[in-house]
Structures are given as structure tokens and as C-alpha cells.
Amino acid sequence: MRYFLMMHLTCLWVLLTISTPIFGSEFHVSVVDGKANSVENAVISLRPLFESAMPSADNPELQMRQEGALFAPFVLPVKQGSTVSFPNFDEFRHHVYSFSKAKRFELRLYGQDESKKIHFDTPGAVALGCNIHDNMLAYIYVTPHPFFAKTAKNGVVKFANIPPGNYEIYAWHPDLKGKKEKKITSFIVSEGNNRTDITLELRRVRKKQLAPAEDDYN
Amino acid sequence: MGSFKFQTRLTIVYLALFFAVQGIIILAFYTTVYQNVDDQVKSQLSASAKTFTAIVQRRVGFLAERAKDQARQFEFRDTISTGDIPTIRSAMRNFSKRIEADLALVYGLDGEVLTAVGGNGFSDSSAPKISLELIEQVEAENYATRIMELDGHIYEVVFVPVLAPDLLATIAYGIELDQVEALNIRQLSSIDLEIAFLYEQDQMFRVASATSSPSSLSRFLEAGMKQNLGAVFKAEYRGEDYMFWRLGLEKSVGSESSESGIEALLYYSIDSALEPYLALALTLSGVLIVGLVMLIGGSVVLSRGVTRPLRRLASATHSIAEGDYHEVEAPTKGDEIADLTDSFNRMVGAVKERENEIVFQAFHDSETGFPNRNQFEKKLCLRIENKKKFCMVFAEVQQLSDLRGVLNHDHVNDLLREIGERIRQVSSVDVFRLSTESFAFITDDLDGADVMASLIINAFMTPFQITDIVIDASVKMGLTKFPDDSDDAAKLMQRASSALDNGRISPRGFAWYVPEEGTSYKQHLSMMSDLRVALTSGEVFFAYQPKLDLKSGRIKSAEALVRWISPTRGFVAPDEFIPFAEKTGDVRHLTEWGLKTAVTQAADWRSRGIEITVAVNLSTSDLMNANLPGQVLKLLRDHKLPPSFLKLEVTESAVMHDMTRALEVLNMLSAMGIVLSIDDYGTGYSSLSYLKKLPVSELKIDMSFVRNLAENEEDRILVRSTIELGHNLGLEITAEGVENQRSVDLLNEYGCDTLQGYFISKPVPASEFEAFLSSTKYR
């Protein structure tokens, strides 16, 4: 029985090792608020403080969907220079806009048939709204850093296959007090598993996308 | 008077009650009204405060809605997002005018003022910042309201977020709570209350605006702040009582941390709230005054209704006291006063009747119905006042005491009435009953008085018939003349009594007053007082007259005869003072003295071998004195004198006065062994029948029979037969007044036992008596 268990663990380790192509480091960041509650939708970005080969700038198709008079996702982290499409899945039109400094834009009334795309080259948070649906709210966070991700419901974000070394860590959240990212100036990511906890001071009143008025569905 | 009159008292009591009741009413009225007004004002103020709050909330809500609308406008958001201040300001000015706001502000995300519009000309820099908390609240709740004080103006401010969709900015619109606003709110209140908006500065309330005279309110508050004012308080303001209601408004933006606040002050004059009650109070006062007047009037009338008849009764009692009996008319019928008046009148009647009765009784004799002595004296006085001559007659019924023994009381009264009536018929004048036994009348006919008296005496020859009994009665009369005998009523009556004394013994049955006879009463009285002194001073002494015992031819006894030689009066005859002493009772002292002196003398003699029995005279009153035997016994014992050496002599009349009592005394004396003798025998009744009853052993034949014994045949017969009679009864006989040898011989012949008289010896003092004894042949 012990033998079997040993075998099993060994196999798991082998598998993990194999799946990590070049780098060997994994980094878990757990985000909590002042009251030690897990914080979802926090965007963590890492800026390596060493020269390294940057991962290829593959641009997956980024979408900020409008569906059921709601934006989805609520927070969308994108790499600086990315283009985000705004597909409308509703039967009615939307008028998406942003007055954020990082990107001011306005997608005037458009329907399902039209596909709108916006290019984001300035880092920062872009608050999205719909001029005809006040309840709709979403954020696109534009980051210049190579590694970024947003926390899941449990407040944890996982970075896999990042090169070990010293990093600056940036944390942002729509409810972050002061509207500035939180910055951790130095964090050494070593080989293997790393983890850190980041506490964000969030506003008492959280921003959220409210459900639309019922009429809006029809 | 000391105390209040009934009327005043009644009025005072009524007034006191009235004032007490009215006082309670007024107090209740005042308390109720005041409390009521207080409550009313309070509730009005409370309602107004609620109205005020509602109005402000509505206005703010309205403003907030407008502001929200504006904030949602895409273009506006666009404008804000540009951060172009001039554009933003002009947009705000435009909107504020559109929504009639007095103040418009735009705040950045950090609470700094981006731009400010309106607000009585403050600048972007002078406008207050807002806190991040407020921004957070605005963002969370989509709007917020605050009260702001800016440069002495108070604004109700609404904050609204500008979302794009993230918070871009906060815009604020304010409406000033100014006088216009206050007046508007006041219009909505049912009472004419006053509203002021206050803010606190340097721990003082400042007036931002007020419905009226903010400066005086400001001064009032300055003074009032020294006390700690409550949420609701009453105070005097502008000379009236005001009720104040403090309504705290939301905290100011600028002074979030401090305790200073902004308040709306609602106040209302209690005096003006009381105004509607003024008419009621006036009416009540009127009722009070009218009630008071009616009460005073009523109580006066009522008390007069009581006191007037009482006063009338009182004055009636006064006149009754003065002898004027008249009835009082009752003012009303059937009430207590009428009852009282009725009782009073009945009492008056009864008193009148009784007085008449008393007057009648006072002036009439109850037994016979004849006018009495009182009335007679009254009449006598009247006649004396008239100064006309008249004759006054006293008529005394004889042997009335004997008649009383025969007749019963009623019959005696009947008899007396008949007697009086008979006198009246004969005299034809009013007859008065003067005393038990005597009548009196006055006649003008002086010359015919003698005839009238005789006629009256004759009239009594006819016996009286009382029921079946035929009775003989007689009267004796004394007559006096006015003014000849006296011009004084009392003296006249005394003279009449004196005349009556004579009349009793007069053969005619009546007598006129003889002036010489009357020794004045006063003289007698002074004599008596002199006698009392004389008894102790030795002025009074005994003279002893020897009594010769014929058988032995010796002096065996002596009669002690009282002698009074006064330094002022000289020799006073026993006849002058003894009868009067009997009348005044002084004879008692005389007897005491006499017995003591006689016993002492007899004892003295006996001790010296002179055996003489001493005889002492007793008076009528002595025989009535039941203590006499005891006194005598004591004297005898004290002096160790055998009773046979004391002889007591009594007159017939003295015994006859009250024989029963006299017998008691005499029997006791006799039982003691004392010799008793009848003095002056033959002058009085000289009834042999009573002699049997008396325990006497000696008879003394009066000297009037003995003196002329030699010459008078009749006297000789009388004396001889008396001696014989006495001897037959077992009595010794003493003859008084023996003045010659012939009498001695005759008496000796008749068998008389003892002789006494000048022939033997006159009465002499004790020493002379002793000398006489030693020298006489009778020894």
C-alpha cells in the first residue's frame, strides 16, 4: 500500500515536471481585503526585474461580451496593445462608452450584427458603461507587464511557468482605494512553488454590475 | 360689639364660600386653558416641524432627482470627463438655473471643489471640501443630503455622483433656507408660527434667516444660550410668552467633526394662542362679577329677611323689659321666623298673664281675696300725698288661734272673708287684709269714726255661719288720725298698732291713739343695748324682798326683784324695760343673769348659814325655752345648791300664752325639785281648771287684792276664798302687798301661809337684806 502511494506521487511529480516547458516556477498570489476576505477580480501583474526572454506576444482574442444587458466578464485584464472585441449577444442595441483616461471611446448604438473592436495601448483601468443601460459596468485593465491574471472567486491567482527571479508585483481592483495599483517592489520568485498574500484596501462599497431591469431582457 | 353682626357674618361666610368656589373654578379654568394651549402650541409646533421636515425632504428629493437626471446625461458626463473647468462651470450654472438651485458645486474624486456656482458669491476656493466618506456615501446610495452653512447662509444641499459608469465626480445642488423659504413653510402651518434657521458658531447660535426680526431673535438667543435650552422650551421673547421648538437639521458639511449644528427654530407666542380664550375669560369674569353682586345683594336680602324680624323681636323684648307688652307681627308665614315670632307672641301673652297674676297676688291676699298689706301701704302713701285728713283703722280679729283649733283652714278663710266683708259693709270703704288676724281701712269721715267703730263692734253681735257651724267672732280696733298722729306712713301704722293694743283692753272694743303712750321703738332699742351692757357692769342688781312664813314666824324665803340704776337713765323701773325685753328677746339675757345671780346669792347665803329660798320671776319666753331646765340644773350643780332653795315664779298669762310648751318646761323644773309658784294670781284668767294641770305648789295673790284688805269687804271675800281654794288644791298661798298689821292679822286668820309686803320689808339689796335678817324680830 505504501509503495503504491509512493508510486502514485512520483508519477504526479513526473507529470507536472513534464508539463512545465521551460521554466520551473509557479507563483500563487492570494488576495484578501482588509477584513481577510478573499478578493475576486483583482488583477495581479508581474514585472520581472531581470532580463529574460519575454513570452511571445501571442494575442488571443479578447472579448468584452454584452449579454443579458450585462458585460461579461466584469474585469478583463489585457496586455498593453491588445484589441478587445465587444460582441453584442442581446437582441437590443448597446452604446458602450468609456471616459477613462486610459481609453476614451464610444461605441454608438450597435447590434448583434456589428462587431466592434477597440485597441488599448495605454495602461490603466478603463471603466465601461452603456449609455442606455445604466446598470452595465465592466472594467478593462490594460497592463504593460508580461505576466498578469485576475483572481478567481477564492481570491487566488496562479502563475505557471514563470522564470524565477525578482519581480515587481502590481495589484489592481475596481474598488481599490485611491485608484492606484498596489505595488510590491520586490518579490523573489524561486524555483518551484511560490506564494504570497496581498492585502488590498478596498472601498467599503463594492462596485458591481447590477442586474438589469427585467424589461431589458425582452 | 366685639363680634360681627349676624348679617355681616352671613355675608362674609357667603362671600368666602363664593370666592373659594370661584377661585377653584378660575384655577381650574386657568390650568386647563393654559395646559390646553400649551399642548396645542406644542402639538402645532410638532406638526409644523414635521411639515417642515417633509417639505425640506420633498424639495431635496426633487432636487436630487433633477441632479441625478443631469448627472446621467451623457454629454454632461462627457463634459465632466474632459476636466475643462470653465465648461463645467457654465454647465453647472445653466443647470442650477434650470432646477432653481441656489448653489451648485462639483467635487473631484478626492473631495476637492472643482467648481462652485451661486451661493451668494463664494469662490471655488472658499467653498468647503467634502469628505471621502460623503463621496463614498453618495456613490453607494446614489445621493446624499447635507445642511451647509456658508457665510451665514444655510443651504440644504444634495449630492449626486457623476458615474461614467465609474465615479467621475460629485455634483451638489443647494437650496437656501432663507426667509422666503421660512415664510413658505409658515404658510403651510395652521398657526401663525415663526420660523428661524440657526447655525452654531463659536458656541453661539446665529440666525441665518427668520420669518421676522432676526436681529431681536439673535439677541434673545444670545441671552438664552447661557441657560441650557431644551428641545422644547418656553421663554419670554419680545415681551410675550413663547414656546420654542428646536428642530435639529442634518449636520453641516463643513463642520462634520464638531458638535455644532444647524437648527430650525419654530416658535409661537403662547399669549396669542391664549387670545381666543380671552373672550371666554372676559365672559367668566363678567359672570363672576355679576355673581358676586348677586351674591352680596342676595345675602343682604336674605340676612335682612332673617335679621329684620330678629331685630324687631329684640326691640320688642326691650319694650317688654320696660313693661310694654305688645305682640310682633310675623313678616312671613310658615317659616322658622314665623314660628319664632309666634312663640314669642305666645310668650309675651303668657308673661303678661303671669305678671297680672303676680301683681294681683302681690296686692291681694290669697286666702281671702282682699287687697293685702302691700296695696294698703300703697294706698296709705297716696292718701298721705293727698294731705287730706283721714282716719286709719286697724281691726284685729280676736281669738283667731282658738278658732283655728275649731275650724279647718278653708273655714277659717271663709270666716275671715266674712269678717272682712262685714267690716266693709259697715264702713262702706275698701278693706285691706293687713295681717293674719287684722284688717285695715281708711275713712275720710273723722267725726263719724267713733260711730263707725261702734257700729262695726255691734255688727259682730250677729254670729257668723260658716257651712253648718255658727261662730261668734269679735274684733278690736285701733284708730289713728292723719296728720294729727303722724304724717309718716310707717309711724302712722305703728300708732295704729299701739291704739289697737289699747283697743284690746278697752271696754268699747276700740281706742284712739294716745300720743304719750308711745315710747319710740328707737328708744326701746337703745335701752335694750344699754341693758345688755348693764347686765355685766353691775348696774342691774337684785333687790330681795323677804317673805314671812306665818306658821314659824320666820323669814324663810325672799323674792329677787330686778333693779336697774343706769348712770345715764337713772332708776329704770322694771315695768319700763321688762315688757320690751320680752318683745325683743333680751329677757333671755336677763333671765340667765337673774338665775345665775339668785343661785349664786342663795348658795353664798347658805354657805354662811343663812338658809333663804330665793324666788326668781320667769317671763313668757322663758317658759317657751326648753333649754331652761337644763340651764337651771347646771347652775344648781355648779353651786351645789339644793333645788329647794330656788323658787321660780310665773304669771298666769305667761303660762296661758302657750300652755302646752309652758307645761313641758314647768313639769321638768318641778321634777327637778324646784318650787314653782303662780305670780299675780287674780289679775288674769284666774281659772281654777288650769291650776290643776300646773305643777305649782304656791299661789301668790296679787297685791291689788291684799293692799286694801282691811277696808274692802269684797277683797276680803276673794282672798279668803282663794286661800281656801288653794289650800283645797294643796297649794301654799302667799299674799303680796301686805302693808299694815290689820292685813297681817286678817291673813293670819284666813290661814294664809306666807306674807310679803312693805309691812315686813321693802325689797333691799343683798347686804341690807342680811342686815335686816340679823336685826328683825322674824328671825
Side-chain angles (χ1 to χ4, degrees):
Chain A
M1 185 65 189
R2 182 175 288 183
Y3 175 73
F4 178 76
L5 191 64
M6 284 287 280
M7 273 288 286
H8 193 82
L9 282 170
T10 309
C11 286
L12 196 67
W13 182 81
V14 168
L15 272 167
L16 280 167
T17 314
I18 289 167
S19 62
T20 312
I22 309 159
F23 317 111
S25 294
E26 235 184 63
F27 187 26
H28 293 258
V29 180
S30 179
V31 180
V32 292
D33 63 11
K35 290 173 181 170
N37 294 320
S38 309
V39 175
E40 194 190 5
N41 286 328
V43 177
I44 305 297
S45 54
L46 307 174
R47 177 174 161 243
L49 295 174
F50 53 90
E51 287 300 317
S52 72
M54 289 296 128
S56 58
D58 55 331
N59 280 327
E61 198 179 333
L62 297 164
Q63 276 191 344
M64 179 54 76
R65 300 150 60 94
Q66 295 104 57
E67 202 169 2
L70 290 170
F71 283 117
F74 179 57
V75 171
L76 177 66
V78 296
K79 179 96 165 71
Q80 189 180 358
S82 298
T83 300
V84 179
S85 64
F86 290 82
N88 182 0
F89 293 93
D90 290 324
E91 291 170 352
F92 41 82
R93 293 173 183 220
H94 289 287
H95 180 172
V96 177
Y97 67 90
S98 161
F99 293 117
S100 301
K101 283 187 182 117
K103 186 66 183 181
R104 287 173 61 90
F105 69 90
E106 189 179 350
L107 297 172
R108 287 196 176 270
L109 292 167
Y110 61 94
Q112 286 182 330
D113 50 335
E114 298 166 74
S115 177
K116 300 285 182 180
K117 289 191 177 174
I118 298 291
H119 190 72
F120 296 93
D121 357 275
T122 314
V126 178
L128 301 175
C130 175
N131 205 14
I132 34 181
H133 302 104
D134 283 351
N135 66 298
M136 290 173 69
L137 172 67
Y139 294 90
I140 291 173
Y141 184 73
V142 182
T143 177
H145 306 135
F147 308 108
F148 58 88
K150 65 169 183 177
T151 53
K153 264 214 164 72
N154 60 0
V156 176
V157 64
K158 188 186 88 178
F159 297 97
N161 295 323
I162 58 165
N166 199 6
Y167 287 90
E168 274 183 348
I169 305 171
Y170 292 89
W172 176 86
H173 189 271
D175 295 316
L176 193 63
K177 277 188 179 171
K179 294 290 173 186
K180 295 266 183 181
E181 302 111 319
K182 177 159 182 163
K183 181 179 167 188
I184 293 156
T185 50
S186 174
F187 187 86
I188 310 287
V189 177
S190 50
E191 290 274 348
N193 283 332
N194 296 275
R195 58 171 302 124
T196 187
D197 291 341
I198 293 176
T199 306
L200 292 179
E201 286 299 311
L202 298 184
R203 299 186 322 164
R204 195 171 45 81
V205 183
R206 300 293 166 84
K207 291 201 177 79
K208 57 186 174 198
Q209 196 169 212
L210 297 166
E214 264 189 35
D215 285 349
D216 290 352
Y217 277 115
N218 308 317
Chain B
M1 180 143 239
S3 58
F4 289 115
K5 280 192 164 182
F6 176 71
Q7 183 175 326
T8 321
R9 248 182 347 206
L10 193 69
T11 311
I12 285 169
V13 167
Y14 276 159
L15 277 180
L17 281 173
F18 178 80
F19 279 123
V21 168
Q22 293 302 341
I24 290 163
I25 289 172
I26 288 168
L27 197 68
F29 174 78
Y30 180 78
T31 316
T32 311
V33 164
Y34 203 81
Q35 191 60 49
N36 197 8
V37 164
D38 224 64
D39 292 347
Q40 253 181 26
V41 170
K42 226 178 258 181
S43 74
Q44 284 286 1
L45 287 177
S46 164
S48 294
K50 279 179 192 150
T51 311
F52 170 79
T53 311
I55 287 169
V56 168
Q57 272 173 359
R58 211 178 59 197
R59 290 195 58 136
V60 164
F62 174 74
L63 200 65
E65 286 312 308
R66 293 296 199 82
K68 276 187 210 164
D69 284 350
Q70 189 209 347
R72 278 197 208 102
Q73 278 183 25
F74 191 74
E75 292 78 8
F76 180 71
R77 287 189 286 194
D78 204 356
T79 310
I80 294 285
S81 75
T82 58
D84 181 18
I85 298 300
T87 313
I88 293 168
R89 175 179 292 155
S90 66
M92 289 307 285
R93 186 169 287 137
N94 183 44
F95 271 107
S96 69
K97 198 171 275 176
R98 198 189 287 172
I99 62 174
E100 292 175 344
D102 298 313
L103 177 72
L105 291 155
V106 180
Y107 289 99
L109 294 176
D110 49 6
E112 294 289 343
V113 177
L114 291 182
T115 188
V117 170
N120 294 289
F122 60 73
S123 65
D124 291 1
S125 53
S126 70
K129 281 174 67 175
I130 57 170
S131 64
L132 290 174
E133 284 81 8
L134 177 59
I135 294 174
E136 204 172 272
Q137 187 198 343
V138 168
E139 211 184 338
E141 293 167 18
N142 239 349
Y143 87 104
T145 58
R146 285 292 187 275
I147 297 286
M148 285 171 83
E149 180 267 311
L150 294 172
D151 301 329
H153 296 272
I154 294 170
Y155 299 91
E156 181 78 37
V157 184
V158 56
F159 296 87
V160 171
V162 180
L163 298 166
D166 231 358
L167 188 71
L168 270 184
T170 301
I171 57 169
Y173 286 106
I175 41 173
E176 190 183 346
L177 295 173
D178 55 7
Q179 194 183 13
V180 178
E181 198 66 26
L183 290 169
N184 282 341
I185 294 160
R186 180 163 85 168
Q187 272 183 351
L188 290 170
S189 169
S190 60
I191 55 168
D192 208 15
L193 55 80
E194 306 266 5
I195 300 169
F197 298 114
L198 315 174
Y199 62 92
E200 216 175 327
Q201 197 178 65
D202 307 329
Q203 296 183 321
M204 289 292 296
F205 271 113
R206 313 263 176 205
V207 179
S209 58
T211 42
S212 64
S213 51
S215 53
S216 62
L217 181 65
S218 193
R219 278 196 302 277
F220 165 73
L221 287 173
E222 237 169 82
M225 278 309 283
K226 280 163 196 159
Q227 304 130 27
N228 217 349
L229 297 173
V232 180
F233 64 92
K234 277 192 271 187
E236 198 185 307
Y237 170 54
R238 289 195 299 201
E240 288 181 40
D241 271 342
Y242 269 84
M243 170 98 72
F244 291 87
W245 186 285
R246 284 168 70 185
L247 181 64
L249 302 174
E250 287 137 292
K251 276 189 179 163
S252 140
V253 171
S255 53
E256 198 107 13
S257 55
S258 78
E259 281 297 308
S260 65
I262 294 173
E263 291 184 358
L265 186 66
L266 292 84
Y267 51 105
Y268 186 62
S269 162
I270 294 171
D271 289 353
S272 43
L274 277 168
E275 236 162 66
Y277 292 98
L278 196 65
L280 191 56
L282 278 174
T283 312
L284 192 64
S285 308
V287 168
L288 288 194
I289 289 163
V290 170
L292 190 64
V293 169
M294 280 168 68
L295 177 90
I296 292 172
S299 61
V300 165
V301 168
L302 181 65
S303 56
R304 263 201 202 148
V306 177
T307 54
R308 192 178 287 159
L310 286 182
R311 276 201 208 117
R312 222 157 35 183
L313 288 177
S315 73
T317 51
H318 282 305
S319 44
I320 284 166
E322 285 155 16
D324 174 18
Y325 297 93
H326 69 262
E327 299 200 338
V328 180
E329 203 179 315
T332 50
K333 295 218 183 297
D335 62 1
E336 289 87 344
I337 296 293
D339 284 351
L340 181 62
T341 312
D342 202 35
S343 309
F344 180 81
N345 287 338
R346 273 206 300 276
M347 184 195 77
V348 168
V351 167
K352 212 195 286 182
E353 206 170 286
R354 217 165 307 150
E355 202 198 57
N356 288 340
E357 209 170 290
I358 288 165
V359 166
F360 183 84
Q361 279 175 359
F363 292 102
H364 288 83
D365 173 50
S366 59
E367 290 173 339
T368 59
F370 278 96
N372 63 6
R373 189 187 183 101
N374 286 335
Q375 201 160 345
F376 179 72
E377 282 173 358
K378 223 162 114 184
K379 182 169 182 173
L380 181 61
C381 288
L382 281 172
R383 292 305 301 263
I384 288 169
E385 273 171 36
N386 267 351
K387 298 196 193 283
K388 270 172 75 182
K389 285 186 173 187
F390 63 86
C391 170
M392 185 176 83
V393 183
F394 280 7
E396 189 186 60
V397 182
Q398 300 300 297
Q399 285 102 40
L400 189 63
S401 53
D402 293 345
L403 290 170
R404 282 190 197 282
V406 182
L407 298 168
N408 67 28
H409 186 71
D410 286 344
H411 290 166
V412 171
N413 288 344
D414 290 343
L415 175 65
L416 285 169
R417 205 175 299 120
E418 291 285 312
I419 291 168
E421 186 58 28
R422 200 164 285 186
I423 294 169
R424 198 189 61 77
Q425 277 172 2
V426 178
S427 64
S428 333
V429 291
D430 289 338
V431 172
F432 301 81
R433 186 162 183 214
L434 203 60
S435 69
T436 318
E437 307 182 342
S438 58
F439 291 88
F441 61 90
I442 289 172
T443 173
D444 295 330
D445 186 5
L446 275 170
D447 300 331
D450 271 303
V451 178
M452 186 192 283
S454 298
L455 285 174
I456 288 168
I457 298 292
N458 286 338
F460 278 83
M461 302 296 270
T462 315
F464 294 87
Q465 182 152 13
I466 303 301
T467 58
D468 296 336
I469 311 163
V470 177
I471 299 162
D472 275 313
S474 64
V475 290
K476 304 282 186 185
M477 282 176 283
L479 288 77
T480 49
K481 291 190 282 284
F482 172 85
D484 300 1
D485 292 340
S486 176
D487 56 358
D488 176 75
K491 273 187 185 158
L492 206 57
M493 285 177 80
Q494 197 192 323
R495 304 269 192 269
S497 297
S498 178
L500 181 60
D501 288 341
N502 289 335
R504 274 192 212 103
I505 51 170
S506 162
R508 293 197 294 171
F510 65 91
W512 286 93
Y513 168 70
V514 184
E516 311 82 72
E517 286 179 355
T519 313
S520 83
Y521 188 70
K522 242 182 181 172
Q523 279 176 314
H524 281 302
L525 281 183
S526 76
M527 187 197 276
M528 284 306 107
S529 68
D530 286 352
L531 175 66
R532 282 194 288 275
V533 177
L535 286 174
T536 53
S537 67
E539 288 172 35
V540 177
F541 60 92
F542 269 141
Y544 299 92
Q545 190 168 35
K547 286 163 96 177
L548 177 66
D549 181 55
L550 279 175
K551 263 178 210 140
S552 62
R554 288 178 59 187
I555 304 297
K556 278 190 169 175
S557 57
E559 182 179 2
L561 295 161
V562 72
R563 292 290 179 264
W564 183 14
I565 299 169
S566 163
T568 51
R569 296 170 190 274
F571 179 80
V572 187
D575 288 349
E576 278 180 57
F577 67 85
I578 290 174
F580 203 72
E582 281 184 0
K583 276 186 191 166
T584 59
D586 282 299
V587 76
R588 190 162 48 87
H589 304 292
L590 193 61
T591 305
E592 266 176 41
W593 171 87
L595 286 169
K596 192 181 172 188
T597 308
V599 169
T600 310
Q601 186 61 66
D604 179 42
W605 281 334
R606 191 165 170 259
S607 67
R608 289 190 276 134
I610 305 164
E611 292 201 339
I612 295 293
T613 298
V614 180
V616 178
N617 293 289
L618 292 183
S619 72
T620 311
S621 62
D622 291 331
L623 291 182
M624 301 297 113
N625 184 6
N627 292 330
L628 186 74
Q631 289 173 18
V632 174
L633 186 64
K634 190 171 183 294
L635 275 171
L636 293 175
R637 281 188 183 160
D638 286 350
H639 294 86
K640 295 178 178 141
L641 186 71
S644 57
F645 284 91
L646 184 65
K647 190 181 276 182
L648 297 175
E649 299 183 2
V650 293
T651 59
E652 283 175 300
S653 61
V655 175
M656 294 306 291
H657 183 81
D658 189 342
M659 199 166 169
T660 319
R661 287 173 70 184
L663 267 177
E664 277 179 30
V665 174
L666 292 174
N667 281 328
M668 282 165 82
L669 290 168
S670 167
M672 282 158 56
I674 293 166
V675 182
L676 299 174
S677 70
I678 295 294
D679 204 5
D680 301 339
Y681 185 79
T683 56
Y685 291 92
S686 307
S687 159
L688 289 172
S689 64
Y690 82 91
L691 278 176
K692 287 195 292 184
K693 300 178 193 166
L694 292 175
V696 295
S697 47
E698 187 186 49
L699 272 187
K700 291 181 82 177
I701 299 168
D702 192 70
M703 60 175 78
S704 58
F705 300 103
V706 179
R707 209 176 278 144
N708 302 317
L709 197 65
E711 293 83 32
N712 198 315
E713 175 68 28
E714 274 179 25
D715 284 350
R716 282 202 294 274
I717 296 165
L718 273 171
V719 169
R720 196 168 67 177
S721 57
T722 302
I723 291 169
E724 250 171 68
L725 197 76
H727 282 161
N728 288 340
L729 287 170
L731 302 170
E732 284 189 8
I733 307 299
T734 298
E736 289 181 280
V738 179
E739 292 180 358
N740 47 47
Q741 185 60 51
R742 175 84 180 129
S743 299
V744 175
D745 296 340
L746 281 170
L747 289 166
N748 202 9
E749 189 193 320
Y750 298 151
C752 187
D753 299 296
T754 311
L755 302 182
Q756 183 182 345
Y758 275 47
F759 184 72
I760 299 154
S761 170
K762 62 174 185 177
V764 290
S767 53
E768 282 182 40
F769 182 78
E770 286 169 33
F772 167 77
L773 279 184
S774 55
S775 63
T776 186
K777 52 179 176 176
Y778 302 120
R779 199 167 167 193

